[in-house]
């Protein structure tokens, strides 16, 4: 299903020898690839959310650090560039993980060998992300096959945890794509995800391109749909999962988990191991990014003439608060779907996952 470079969010252009990304701030109205060819461009891409989603942020940062080392591979620049990239977004732990993967790969090499090694490692992380997300899809599909459903499997998701948020497949949407490809009739409730509308702008766009039936709903309608029995399960991604199974994800995830529990609907979180922060004991310790109030107070869209416009929603001088993520306590999470299998969201479950990873 994802065998071509066409359906991916980040690719390598062999002619220019540069990374290309889809500028996700322009979706769903414009599909534009752009080159990242300076440290400023890499940092801007992450902080302005041209690329976003925990796994994709990590892969982009890996190529960013490789780019920095191609210009200056000294110890000082390695540390400075990693720190600059790390500061672009605080919550998705894949960013820190990817920078550490590159740094530890090159740290003990002679300076002249570092740039090439870093670039090779960045390519390897990209390939690994694709393979991991496909495994998440297979493992998630097994859970979906256990559900008792009617004629069609109705899955609710929040934000965008599809291939736009990873390199291919995605995390939460990978089981959806696997189900669809295996002939299971599936329909996705896409929650719009205010304030940046990643559900409406990105998830619906990528599901439509893949031919998966989906319906956009306002965030506030999700509890009602669950109460009405119109949702078989909820699957979301994660930006950072603590060692006790608490899950940090896009703001609004927690409310969905509460509603799912109240309606006895399974609530699953799909994530690669790189999203687990083993050093973080519980969700309270996860840094929550606070973004510009303008994201709440304004909205962009096409006007009647097809031109992109940003408009004010609130009265002039209104105050707004914009926390970008929330924490869902582990006891609301039915299972963590990972590339290593499906695990309970608990200290015990995560220790089991760790044992599988270490091969013990
Ligand atoms: O602010 P964003 O768009 O980067 O937030 C993305 C999410 O919250 C995703 O659910 C998460 O990163 C998982 S992506 C596979």
């Amino acid at each position: 299903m994802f065998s071509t470079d066409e359906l991916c969010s980040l690719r390598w252009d062999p002619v220019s020898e540069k990374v290309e990304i889809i500028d996700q701030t322009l979706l769903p109205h414009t599909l534009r690839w752009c080159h990242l060819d300076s440290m400023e461009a890499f940092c801007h891409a992450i902080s302005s959310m041209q690329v976003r989603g925990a796994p994709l942020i990590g892969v982009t940062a890996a190529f960013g650090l490789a780019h920095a080392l191609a210009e200056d591979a000294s110890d000082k620049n390695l540390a400075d560039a990693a720190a600059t990239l790390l500061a672009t977004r605080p919550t998705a732990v894949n960013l820190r993980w990817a920078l550490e993967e590159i740094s530890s790969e090159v740290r003990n090499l002679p300076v002249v060998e570092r740039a090439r090694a870093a670039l090779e490692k960045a390519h390897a992380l990209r390939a690994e992300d694709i393979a991991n997300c496909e495994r998440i899809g297979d493992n998630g599909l097994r859970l979906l096959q256990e559900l008792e459903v009617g004629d069609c499997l109705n899955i609710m998701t929040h934000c965008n945890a599809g291939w736009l948020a990873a390199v291919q497949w995605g995390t939460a949407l990978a089981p959806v794509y696997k189900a669809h490809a295996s002939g299971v009739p599936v329909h996705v409730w896409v929650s719009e995800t205010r304030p940046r509308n990643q559900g409406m702008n990105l998830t619906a766009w990528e599901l439509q391109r893949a031919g998966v039936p989906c319906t956009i709903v306002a965030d506030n309608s999700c509890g009602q749909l669950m109460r009405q029995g119109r949702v078989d399960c909820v699957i979301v991604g994660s930006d950072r999962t603590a060692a006790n199974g608490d899950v940090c994800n896009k703001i609004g995830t927690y409310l969905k988990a509460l509603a799912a529990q109240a309606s006895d609907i399974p609530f699953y979180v799909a994530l690669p191991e790189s999203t687990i922060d083993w050093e973080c004991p519980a969700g309270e310790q996860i840094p929550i990014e606070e973004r510009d109030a303008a994201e709440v107070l304004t909205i962009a869209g096409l006007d009647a003439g097809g031109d992109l416009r940003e408009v004010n929603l609130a009265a002039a001088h209104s105050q707004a608060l914009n926390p970008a993520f929330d924490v869902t306590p582990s006891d609301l999470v039915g299972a963590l779907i990972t590339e290593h299998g499906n695990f309970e969201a608990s200290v015990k479950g995560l220790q089991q996952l760790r044992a599988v990873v270490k091969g013990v």
Side-chain angles (χ1 to χ4, degrees):
M1 179 165 191
F2 290 107
S3 56
T4 67
D5 258 6
E6 217 179 288
L7 284 177
C8 77
S9 58
L10 179 150
R11 66 190 181 196
W12 180 252
D13 176 6
V15 179
S16 65
E17 300 201 324
K18 288 187 172 51
V19 168
E20 284 186 307
I21 54 148
I22 293 177
D23 180 350
Q24 298 189 26
T25 63
L26 303 177
L27 290 174
H29 308 298
T30 305
L31 173 58
R32 184 178 301 156
W33 285 90
C34 55
H35 282 115
L36 299 182
D37 50 13
S38 67
M39 259 297 274
E40 291 69 34
F42 276 97
C43 291
H44 174 74
I46 299 173
S47 59
S48 71
M49 295 175 61
Q50 286 178 316
V51 294
R52 25 69 52 206
L56 181 61
I57 289 171
V59 174
T60 306
F63 279 102
L65 190 51
H67 177 90
L69 293 178
E71 291 182 340
D72 172 0
S74 65
D75 284 352
K76 182 175 181 323
N77 198 44
L78 173 60
D80 288 353
T84 304
L85 285 158
L86 185 62
T88 51
R89 287 198 77 189
T91 302
V93 76
N94 304 60
L95 176 57
R96 186 183 80 197
W97 170 85
L99 293 170
E100 188 44 41
E101 287 283 307
I102 300 288
S103 300
S104 54
E105 184 77 13
V106 305
R107 200 173 278 129
N108 296 321
L109 292 178
V111 169
V112 288
E113 291 174 21
R114 286 179 176 174
R116 196 169 58 89
L119 186 59
E120 276 173 19
K121 184 68 181 177
H123 280 288
L125 294 182
R126 179 184 181 277
E128 196 180 293
D129 187 71
I130 295 172
N132 287 343
C133 285
E134 179 159 17
R135 279 189 211 109
I136 288 170
D138 291 328
N139 293 332
L141 179 59
R142 285 193 285 114
L143 279 182
L144 297 180
Q145 284 164 340
E146 288 168 11
L147 298 173
E148 276 179 32
V149 295
D151 295 343
C152 176
L153 174 60
N154 281 288
I155 299 174
M156 180 173 282
T157 192
H158 187 57
C159 193
N160 172 261
W163 63 263
L164 284 167
V167 179
Q168 284 182 345
W169 291 103
T171 56
L173 292 191
V176 172
Y177 289 129
K178 285 285 179 175
H180 179 68
S182 66
V184 176
V186 58
H187 164 262
V188 182
W189 295 111
V190 176
S191 120
E192 60 176 343
T193 319
R194 280 280 292 147
R196 287 189 66 105
N197 293 317
Q198 290 96 324
M200 178 160 66
N201 293 348
L202 307 177
T203 299
W205 179 84
E206 65 160 273
L207 287 171
Q208 282 159 19
R209 279 175 75 94
V212 179
C214 65
T215 307
I216 298 168
V217 289
D219 295 326
N220 288 340
S221 57
C222 293
Q224 174 69 357
L225 289 169
M226 291 191 219
R227 270 179 68 90
Q228 288 174 327
R230 299 169 78 180
V231 180
D232 295 308
C233 74
V234 181
I235 314 181
V236 298
S238 173
D239 289 84
R240 190 183 298 223
T241 290
N244 69 345
D246 289 349
V247 168
C248 183
N249 191 50
K250 181 52 54 190
I251 193 81
T253 301
Y254 173 47
L255 282 178
K256 284 190 176 55
L258 285 173
Q261 186 194 45
S263 292
D264 206 15
I265 291 167
F267 181 90
Y268 300 129
V269 178
L271 71 164
E273 193 222 336
S274 51
T275 299
I276 299 168
D277 187 349
W278 297 105
E279 293 158 26
C280 179
E284 298 86 72
Q285 275 87 40
I286 296 174
I288 303 289
E289 176 179 18
E290 229 175 79
R291 294 188 63 87
D292 199 320
E295 292 181 353
V296 176
L297 300 172
T298 64
I299 201 156
L302 297 186
D303 66 15
D307 292 323
L308 192 63
R309 287 204 193 287
E310 188 170 285
V311 295
N312 293 321
L313 294 171
H317 313 301
S318 297
Q319 302 286 314
L321 180 72
N322 187 12
F325 300 97
D326 62 25
V327 173
T328 298
S330 58
D331 58 333
L332 297 179
V333 178
L336 298 174
I337 304 169
T338 80
E339 71 272 34
H340 303 293
N342 304 324
F343 297 87
E344 193 181 280
S346 64
V347 171
K348 188 170 147 232
L350 284 174
Q351 280 170 355
Q352 285 167 346
L353 163 56
R354 208 162 198 188
V356 171
V357 175
K358 288 187 173 161
V360 291

